[in-house]
Amino acid sequence: MEANHAHGARERTGWALPRGGGWPGSRSGSGSSSSSSSNISSSSISSISSRISSSSSSSSSSSSSSCCLRVQNFHGVLLRWQMPEYKRDAHVTELRDHKGPVLAMSAAGPYLFTGGADKRLLLYRVPVLLHFTPDKAEGKVPPSPSRSFGPSGIAHDGPVLCLAARLDFVVSGSTDGVLKVWKVESAPGSLSHRTVKGHSGPLWCVCFAGERLIATGSADATACLWETDMAKTARPKVVLRGHSGGVTAIADVPGAGQVVTGSEDGTVRIWTFDGMCPSVLEGHACPILALRCWRSTVMQPESAQRKDGPRPLHDLIFAGDMDGLIRVWDRPSAAEVACADTHTDAVKGLAMSLTPDRSLASVSMDGVLCLWRPGDMVLEREVLPPESSPTSPKGGGEEQEEEDDHAESHLPALTSAVLWSNIVVTSGWDGVVRCYVWNEE
């Protein structure tokens, strides 16, 4: 399998991972905003206009009739959402309800959850977002969140760094080191259903593992597996030790009884639910910031007679790192099979489609959203979010031309993504959640 590279080699920006409490992958250095565990400033975030650009690989403008989006939730219930008809190639809705960077997102059924540096956890109803069409002339505004979580709308004592959702509850992690479980239908302003602390550092990542476990990763260099029906005084069922740096990314291997962790130490580890580590994947030269696993439903023809059962045609691990690389690993053989270098900065989010088409989305601190065909890592669409206002006063002549040449560096950094068939939601360092909907021919 060979990666498709849309661009030639481009200069990569240096990044520093905050030690002992920051948000992994946050900007540092001259000319960029900084982050800490208790204070993420948004004063340097540029204002965003309403124009979007996409690469030449995007489909041409067309009008399509309304259709039905089918989404299967965790419980196997098939949800059908009637899609509106758009007269443009792409439609985007911008949500600006967070005060500061939006650092995490997750979705389940009709719900979209967002968490931010403002310590808030918000819920939106996806069908409402799909049927909103911006029209400033008529004075319409984007839909507001359906609800917020926690007393006075504050979910944690620190920025919300990670989220994982199922239809009836959502779990959140923060720089405060606390894992909270929230019931979706609980009364607004109520306390979390469960609050536990099993790590000695900030929680950087969380996911569901199988049907009965929650997996968390922390700056303390450990990952923990928790029972979903944990008691108030719960302790981790299993503690996964082996990384020499903070655990910055975690993902479930669907149907395999395994989780995958990525770390500051640049390695990816595969773990069984009983705490064994059968494989360590090496090849990254910097911290891993995003992970996603994919097992295709199509089986290998020659594996039908295997004693241990047929094997999926694709059983892959996708790992995004701080240098902007996405490495692809074959999980059974632990062999690297592809590497994509389209992004020029840290890859902060990877998302598999929640619909059967199984596309892969990647978002980066370079401000670019990429949509991939995961089986062979062919880049199918590259999208630039709305251009930001200049971060420095405009001059003239050669200085102005040089600034225009580097306009891409002013794009708002992207932090996470949620993907359906022709719908992508991204969150940004500029505090904006964007819902993109493309017409399909």
Side-chain angles (χ1 to χ4, degrees):
M1 181 165 55
E2 184 175 340
N4 178 291
H5 306 307
H7 302 289
R10 291 183 288 185
E11 182 179 356
R12 301 186 185 279
T13 305
W15 291 78
L17 188 66
R19 300 282 177 174
W23 173 61
S26 57
R27 298 191 177 202
S28 65
S30 175
S32 61
S33 58
S34 61
S35 167
S36 68
S37 61
S38 59
N39 180 27
I40 298 183
S41 173
S42 60
S43 60
S44 61
I45 296 175
S46 303
S47 61
I48 307 301
S49 66
S50 60
R51 184 173 66 86
I52 69 170
S53 300
S54 61
S55 68
S56 58
S57 61
S58 301
S59 57
S60 58
S61 299
S62 62
S63 174
S64 74
S65 58
S66 68
C67 60
C68 188
L69 177 66
R70 302 166 67 180
V71 179
Q72 189 170 7
N73 66 26
F74 172 74
H75 299 286
V77 178
L78 189 63
L79 306 177
R80 291 178 172 84
W81 301 336
Q82 191 66 27
M83 294 285 293
E85 179 180 354
Y86 300 117
K87 296 182 179 180
R88 295 175 295 171
D89 175 62
H91 160 74
V92 59
T93 298
E94 294 188 348
L95 308 173
R96 300 172 179 266
D97 299 295
H98 282 280
K99 298 178 181 178
V102 182
L103 305 179
M105 290 195 305
S106 187
Y111 304 126
L112 173 70
F113 301 88
T114 63
D118 57 5
K119 310 176 185 179
R120 302 176 72 201
L121 169 57
L122 304 180
L123 178 152
Y124 297 89
R125 295 184 181 273
V126 178
V128 175
L129 299 181
L130 297 182
H131 285 81
F132 170 75
T133 303
D135 190 343
K136 294 182 179 180
E138 296 182 9
K140 296 181 180 179
V141 296
S144 299
S146 297
R147 62 161 299 180
S148 59
F149 293 83
S152 302
I154 301 299
H156 283 270
D157 292 333
V160 178
L161 301 183
C162 54
L163 296 172
R166 283 187 174 165
L167 194 60
D168 50 353
F169 62 96
V170 59
V171 294
S172 58
S174 168
T175 57
D176 59 16
V178 173
L179 174 68
K180 293 190 176 185
V181 182
W182 308 87
K183 287 187 175 180
V184 172
E185 299 300 334
S186 60
S190 61
L191 297 174
S192 60
H193 178 60
R194 291 285 185 267
T195 299
V196 295
K197 187 167 184 177
H199 291 281
S200 60
L203 261 66
W204 279 346
C205 50
V206 64
C207 73
F208 287 102
E211 296 185 5
R212 301 180 59 84
L213 295 174
I214 298 170
T216 57
S218 170
D220 64 9
T222 68
C224 292
L225 300 180
W226 311 75
E227 296 280 359
T228 54
D229 56 353
M230 65 182 72
K232 291 184 178 180
T233 57
R235 294 179 179 273
K237 179 180 179 181
V238 179
V239 179
L240 308 177
R241 304 181 189 276
H243 285 294
S244 60
V247 178
T248 48
I250 198 162
D252 178 44
V253 182
Q258 295 181 336
V259 294
V260 178
T261 58
S263 170
E264 286 180 299
D265 62 20
T267 66
V268 175
R269 288 178 175 260
I270 302 174
W271 307 86
T272 61
F273 287 173
D274 58 3
M276 302 299 291
C277 180
S279 300
V280 179
L281 310 181
E282 299 179 338
H284 291 271
C286 58
I288 311 297
L289 299 181
L291 284 172
R292 192 62 59 182
C293 300
W294 176 51
R295 304 182 78 203
S296 66
T297 56
V298 179
M299 299 297 163
Q300 298 177 8
E302 65 276 10
S303 69
Q305 305 302 320
R306 290 178 58 92
K307 293 181 179 179
D308 55 353
R311 287 188 174 181
L313 182 61
H314 298 292
D315 193 343
L316 303 176
I317 297 171
F318 303 90
D321 69 20
M322 190 170 285
D323 279 345
L325 299 179
I326 302 174
R327 295 186 184 273
V328 186
W329 308 82
D330 177 70
R331 185 183 62 88
S333 65
E336 182 177 340
V337 293
C339 181
D341 64 354
T342 297
H343 289 293
T344 59
D345 247 322
V347 176
K348 193 59 185 72
L350 294 170
M352 291 299 301
S353 174
L354 299 176
T355 45
D357 64 311
R358 292 304 180 194
S359 296
L360 173 73
S362 63
V363 292
S364 168
M365 301 295 277
D366 62 11
V368 178
L369 161 67
C370 291
L371 300 179
W372 307 86
R373 194 169 65 200
D376 51 12
M377 285 303 284
V378 169
L379 181 62
E380 296 187 313
R381 189 189 298 263
E382 186 176 16
V383 178
L384 305 182
E387 291 182 353
S388 61
S389 298
T391 56
S392 58
K394 285 189 177 182
E398 294 182 0
E399 292 183 0
Q400 178 61 51
E401 291 179 3
E402 182 177 352
E403 180 176 335
D404 292 340
D405 290 339
H406 292 81
E408 186 175 343
S409 65
H410 300 309
L411 292 173
L414 301 180
T415 57
S416 62
V418 175
L419 173 65
W420 289 274
S421 178
N422 62 322
I423 303 166
V424 185
V425 183
T426 65
S427 62
W429 194 258
D430 59 355
V432 181
V433 174
R434 294 179 177 87
C435 178
Y436 298 89
V437 181
W438 284 277
N439 281 327
E440 294 186 331
E441 295 181 356

